[in-house]
C-alpha cells in the first residue's frame, strides 16, 4: 500500500509549494513539540491543540488551471 515514488514526489512538491513555510515537516519536528510539551517549560499549558503542519492550515493555495 502507499504511493508510488512519482505520486509521492508530486504530493510532496504540492504540499511544500502550498504551505506558508515552504517546508515539509520531519518526524523530529513532531518530537520537538512533544518534548517541549512534556517538559517543565510547558507546565502552564493545558487543554490546547497544536499543529505541526508548516502553516498549511492557515494558507489557502490559489489553484491554477
Amino acid at each position: 500500500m502507499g504511493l508510488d515514488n512519482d505520486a509521492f514526489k508530486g504530493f510532496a512538491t504540492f504540499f511544500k509549494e502550498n504551505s506558508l513555510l515552504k517546508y515539509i515537516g520531519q518526524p523530529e519536528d513532531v518530537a520537538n513539540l512533544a518534548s517541549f510539551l512534556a517538559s517543565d517549560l510547558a507546565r502552564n499549558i493545558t487543554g490546547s491543540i497544536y499543529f505541526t503542519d508548516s502553516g498549511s492550515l492557515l494558507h489557502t493555495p490559489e489553484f491554477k488551471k
Side-chain angles (χ1 to χ4, degrees):
M1 292 293 284
L3 298 175
D4 64 33
N5 197 35
D6 290 335
F8 177 78
K9 285 181 182 179
F11 173 76
T13 300
F14 176 83
F15 184 81
K16 186 175 180 179
E17 290 174 356
N18 290 292
S19 67
L20 288 177
L21 299 179
K22 307 295 185 216
Y23 171 76
I24 296 176
Q26 300 299 307
E28 295 83 14
D29 298 314
V30 177
N32 289 339
L33 175 59
S35 294
F36 168 71
L37 291 173
S39 75
D40 286 338
L41 294 172
R43 67 180 170 263
N44 198 41
I45 297 174
T46 59
S48 299
I49 298 172
Y50 296 93
F51 298 95
T52 58
D53 66 352
S54 302
S56 64
L57 289 177
L58 297 174
H59 187 259
T60 304
E62 294 181 26
F63 295 98
K64 298 177 184 175
K65 293 184 180 185

